[in-house]
């Protein structure tokens, strides 16, 4: 069945935080995500992350992990929320130190607040001669957002996404914030999670990136995602490596669904392939009926 069974406290294990980067256009969201992606080197693996699959995981020197949604901007965040998906644990709000607090900075803040997601500020572009990070912090204080240097509780760090300055410390602050959240999930059950993106690849068929939120997804599992279903034929991580199982807070791209589910669709694993298929086709039918109805109006 699709209902989730409640976990016993002893089954819960700590999991990595899932982070979204938001902020005003041109303030450096993509640069920050790119820097983190390129610089991360998991033990025994040289080189950064080459594939863009909509989400990636990084491991810091101390072995702690963070999962990033690699879709900068709050459009993806709000689109997912509109579909009922709450994926993000922590929001990094990027604000350029050579600019003011801009409308989309404010929007990003209010989206995170509305979702009850803690914010860590990344005051960016401090390598620029006209950068004035204190001005940003003052602006935040005027919005009743007191960062730590201003006597408040909100974490912020001055960075240069371009040079990489302060990025490591920023991620340490994200992990500190994550510790307070005591994020946990049960890895020992069928996987549940959310679709991040999906597309049709000419050679490989439908490729869906999903974020496992609880349980463990395995190759061979029957998956229902939105109005699509199928047996997981293969899974890959953001480095293009084959993966046989993916636990909580792990993004993976999977092959085997019969179509492309939408970003924000929930996915579940079913024991029975037919049951997954039936629910998927029922949903597809409902959607067709709905679109016929809207066309008539
Ligand atoms: P986004 O729209 O928020 O994703 O912003 P981008 O990451 O695309 O950055 C916008 C522009 O600012 C690009 O030209 C970047 O090279 C530049 N930029 C981003 N971060 C920094 C930084 O730390 N220092 C400097 N000097 N430029 C930056």
């Amino acid at each position: 069945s699709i209902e989730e069974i409640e976990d016993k406290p002893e089954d819960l294990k700590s999991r990595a935080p899932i982070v979204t980067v938001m902020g005003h256009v041109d303030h450096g969201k993509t640069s920050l995500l790119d820097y983190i992606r390129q610089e991360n080197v998991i033990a025994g693996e040289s080189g950064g992350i080459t594939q863009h699959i909509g989400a990636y995981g990084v491991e810091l020197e101390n072995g702690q992990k963070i999962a990033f949604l690699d879709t900068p901007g709050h459009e993806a965040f709000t689109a997912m929320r509109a579909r009922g998906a709450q994926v993000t644990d922590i929001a990094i709000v990027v604000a350029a130190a050579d600019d003011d607090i801009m409308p989309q900075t404010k929007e990003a803040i209010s989206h995170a607040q509305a979702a009850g997601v803690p914010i860590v500020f990344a005051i960016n572009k401090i390598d620029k001669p006209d950068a004035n990070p204190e001005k940003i912090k003052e602006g935040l204080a005027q919005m009743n957002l007191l960062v730590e240097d201003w006597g408040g509780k909100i974490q912020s760090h001055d960075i240069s996404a371009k040079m990489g300055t302060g990025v490591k410390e920023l991620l340490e602050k994200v992990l500190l914030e994550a510790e307070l959240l005591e994020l946990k999930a049960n890895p020992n059950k069928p996987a549940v999670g959310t679709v991040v993106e999906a597309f049709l690849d000419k050679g490989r068929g439908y490729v869906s990136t999903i974020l496992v939120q609880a349980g463990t997804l395995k190759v061979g599992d029957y998956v229902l995602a939105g109005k699509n279903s199928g047996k997981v034929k293969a899974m890959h991580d953001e480095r293009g490596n084959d993966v046989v199982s993916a636990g909580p807070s792990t993004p993976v791209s999977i092959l085997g669904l019969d179509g492309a589910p939408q970003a924000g669709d929930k996915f579940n694993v079913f024991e029975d392939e037919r049951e997954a298929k039936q629910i998927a086709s029922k949903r597809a039918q409902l959607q067709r009926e709905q679109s016929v109805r809207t066309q008539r109006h």
Side-chain angles (χ1 to χ4, degrees), residues 24-31 124-125 127-128 160-162:
H24 196 73
V25 65
D26 283 345
H27 278 199
K29 299 177 293 293
T30 310
S31 303
N124 190 30
K125 306 200 187 185
D127 60 291
K128 286 192 142 186
S160 165
K162 195 175 177 177

Side-chain angles (χ1 to χ4, degrees), residues 2 46 57 62 183 223 269:
I2 201 159
S46 57
N62 61 10
L183 303 166
V223 169
V269 166

Side-chain angles (χ1 to χ4, degrees), residues 18 66 91 125 165 227 232 256-257 268 272 281 297:
I18 300 166
I66 306 177
K125 306 200 187 185
T165 320
K227 49 187 200 328
V232 179
L257 291 186
N268 296 79
D272 181 2
S281 59
H297 286 264

